Amino acid sequence: MLFQVTALYALPLAILFLVLWFRVTTTRSNLKVSIGDAGDTGLYEKIRQHGNFVEWVPIVLILMIIAEGNKADAIWLHVSGALLLIGRLVHPFGLTAANPTHLLRIIGNTSSLLATLTVTVCVVVTSFGL
């Protein structure tokens, strides 16, 4: 079985994952920090930007695969995938220590939450016919 809709969103998210990972790794290398953030706010922000991505993306993609495997209507998969992708693209620009209520942070997390809720309902409906 092909999961074409999920793959459409998983691929750019994988690239974003690598970009966020690379930012952490290069900053660690430049600062000569192996573990932790050494009190460097910029490194800490990059670690959290990457970490927040890792906290949201896997569960949504897993739920999307389940929903797609259950033959969910593609529109709901696209809604979930687009919300997740948009949210994860903008979130790192808003997740800063200096401004905890940055608009892009709020948009990023809200989009990810809506993606999770949408695909969760999709899985419930397609799995249990509710």
Side-chain angles (χ1 to χ4, degrees):
M1 171 175 271
L2 299 175
F3 298 96
Q4 293 176 322
V5 176
T6 302
L8 179 68
Y9 297 98
L11 290 172
L13 287 163
I15 292 166
L16 182 54
F17 169 86
L18 292 171
V19 168
L20 293 171
W21 167 83
F22 184 76
R23 292 174 67 226
V24 172
T25 301
T26 55
T27 303
R28 282 186 187 280
S29 178
N30 291 339
L31 296 173
K32 297 180 179 18
V33 175
S34 176
I35 296 174
D37 59 32
D40 185 273
T41 303
L43 176 55
Y44 182 71
E45 288 175 349
K46 288 178 177 81
I47 290 168
R48 284 308 314 139
Q49 291 161 356
H50 181 254
N52 198 276
F53 180 96
V54 172
E55 292 163 5
W56 281 102
V57 172
I59 189 65
V60 176
L61 289 178
I62 289 167
L63 290 169
M64 285 179 67
I65 287 170
I66 293 168
E68 192 166 3
N70 286 344
K71 303 198 182 333
D73 192 338
I75 188 68
W76 296 111
L77 296 168
H78 284 295
V79 167
S80 298
L83 283 167
L84 181 65
L85 183 58
I86 290 165
R88 295 299 92 201
L89 281 170
V90 302
H91 184 266
F93 296 103
L95 183 59
T96 64
N99 187 357
T101 59
H102 194 288
L103 181 60
L104 293 178
R105 181 180 189 176
I106 294 167
I107 290 170
N109 276 333
T110 302
S111 295
S112 297
L113 178 60
L114 289 173
T116 306
L117 293 172
T118 301
V119 75
T120 297
V121 169
C122 213
V123 169
V124 168
V125 169
T126 59
S127 295
F128 305 108
L130 301 175

